[in-house]
Amino acid sequence: MPEPIEITFLGTGSSTPTPQRGHPAILIKYSGDHMLFDCGEGTQIQLQKARVSPMKIKRIFISHWHADHFAGLLPMIETLHLQNRKEPLEIYGPEASRFVDAISELSYWGIGFEIKTKDCGEEDMEKILDTENYEIHSIKVDHSVPSVGYIFKEKDRWNIDTKLAKKYKLSGKDLKIIKEKGIFKGIKLSKVAKLSPGRKLIYSGDTRVSKKLFNAAKNADLLIHDGTFTEPMESRAHSSVKEVAKLSKKYNVKKLVLTHFSRRYKSVKEIEKIAKKIFKNSIVARDMMEMKL
Amino acid sequence: MPEPIEITFLGTGSSTPTPQRGHPAILIKYSGDHMLFDCGEGTQIQLQKARVSPMKIKRIFISHWHADHFAGLLPMIETLHLQNRKEPLEIYGPEASRFVDAISELSYWGIGFEIKTKDCGEEDMEKILDTENYEIHSIKVDHSVPSVGYIFKEKDRWNIDTKLAKKYKLSGKDLKIIKEKGIFKGIKLSKVAKLSPGRKLIYSGDTRVSKKLFNAAKNADLLIHDGTFTEPMESRAHSSVKEVAKLSKKYNVKKLVLTHFSRRYKSVKEIEKIAKKIFKNSIVARDMMEMKL
């Protein structure tokens, strides 16, 4: 069984938060790493509700610098400082260094740990993180200010078929070598193991419907997408539930989670009905909703 | 009957907010004006819970620039911008112009209304606002960074005694003149009216116990004071419930509300017991607690 990818939707509202739907923030836990995607106002309180210490957060990915996506950064950084954090914090985003500098200027406590920034979005698509178990890519999206979405890609894995390994008389040591080198004593890895492709998650951030993003989301295990309005609103730099559901179906997304709802919608049930009618594997995010992949 | 002064404690926690006790923010409504004293993370959501539109807020008084006291400013300003505010917003505080400039730099939406700032705290005590019905003074306090408390002083009022007015045969028009000029046809205002002293409220912000502040709080109708710890903690730039309760009694404060509790205290009931034992007119603030004076 692969390790679960755990997702908590900390905030699922948009520019104006409400008591029911806070500013955007998504927590992803995988392979011992805790990551935040966006960090709106109230994120540190939502983390407390999820019983996750902010000290565990290793990296934060900001989609763009509208306050609803980052207003929780400064107060969380100050909390980390007061809790005596020493481990560096990584912050990714378009113009990340400029904005993190400006935010740090506002800190009267000072910041007793290093903040490492990485500017994203200069290229259409870019690998911004490569770890043993997963990669993260940024992808430019179409909003009113420089904005990116993020692609979380678990690495593909070769799973040894023990029956086949026995047949070829391979020891545990042999298997280690074959996994590393791809071949051992003329036996190719593909003869004794099956490739298990890594899972793929995409978070759109705020965006108009973007073909580029859907191309990247093809066959994705999970797409978390801007669903600000139910109907297309050409004057706004956001997506509609109808467009997104339609394209998710077309691009064979396995599961769609819509988020970032305008506060004009009192009931998300209605939104979910609209989405499911077009693409049955649609879910509407609620604050504190948890998912496991 | 004088017009009520309505107070809502939007947030009563300290540096690290909890779901039960948010970052500091106090709403005061008086004479048609809505004012905020401090504006920590989550203030705009707390305002929604109190059913008060942020559009109504006319002025904000920041005690000092630790993030727990101002992290809600930028997201609230962006909400006001998106709601198309045109009315200026006044922001008071030590170094207000410097910090409001830095915050405005972070706004990618731009700000479609004027923000008027007033720097406070250069003098020990200073009248920073004078309206028809009330004044506000800042008072320097003793914290780890430049910090002020605020004194809300309702103006004294002369209330005409209609019996005496009749005795002196004063018409409505005469009374208007006597109220304006203090004398009419040799009759002094004090002969026909009684002086009703205005109410006085003090908010300490974050401070070590300060004699200066208690001198100003003498006979105050309400003192809202830093009560971060129950016992004196010399190493910290805050007050203790015990010290504050003792001095409130000594300086004849009519009502004391303690706030800004360290999250180490799980139960505020215990804190209230400690305070009341020393000074019976003590109350411990809770988030969303409302008071009328």
Side-chain angles (χ1 to χ4, degrees), chain B residues 7 21 47 49 58 70 95 101 106 158-159 165 199-200 219 239 280 287:
Chain B
I7 305 151
R21 289 205 290 271
L47 278 175
K49 289 189 197 156
K58 194 166 181 171
F70 80 90
E95 307 171 87
D101 277 357
L106 284 169
W158 286 100
N159 294 317
R199 288 159 292 179
K200 187 165 73 175
N219 305 319
S239 299
K280 69 175 195 308
D287 279 22

Side-chain angles (χ1 to χ4, degrees), chain B residues 35 57 80 98 109 124 136 205 211 225 231 234 267 285:
Chain B
M35 294 166 266
I57 305 295
L80 295 175
R98 176 163 88 86
W109 266 304
D124 266 1
I136 300 209
K211 266 223 161 148
H225 203 288
E231 310 293 322
E234 278 175 22
S267 156

Side-chain angles (χ1 to χ4, degrees), chain A residues 15 17-19 41-42 44-45 48 65-68 70-72 74-75 78 82-83 95 99 106 108-109 145-146 263, chain B residues 15 17-19 41-42 44-45 48 65-68 70-72 74-75 78 82-83 95 99 106 108-109 145-146 263:
Chain A
S15 51
T18 69
E41 183 173 20
Q44 62 174 330
I45 291 180
Q48 279 183 46
W65 298 93
H66 276 148
D68 52 333
F70 80 91
L74 176 65
E78 297 218 331
L82 293 170
Q83 290 184 15
E95 308 172 88
F99 273 86
L106 283 169
Y108 229 130
W109 266 304
V145 299
R263 68 174 183 147
Chain B
S15 51
T18 70
E41 183 173 21
Q44 62 174 329
I45 289 181
Q48 280 183 44
W65 299 93
H66 277 149
D68 53 331
F70 80 90
L74 176 65
E78 296 217 332
L82 293 171
Q83 290 184 14
E95 307 171 87
F99 273 86
L106 284 169
Y108 230 132
W109 266 304
V145 299
R263 67 175 184 146

Side-chain angles (χ1 to χ4, degrees), chain A residues 124-150:
Chain A
D124 266 2
M125 192 136 73
E126 195 183 344
K127 190 198 279 184
I128 54 169
L129 181 73
D130 195 346
T131 78
E132 195 189 335
N133 298 312
Y134 63 94
E135 296 170 358
I136 301 212
H137 301 250
S138 67
I139 178 166
K140 254 195 207 172
V141 293
D142 180 15
H143 191 46
S144 54
V145 299
S147 300
V148 299
Y150 291 102

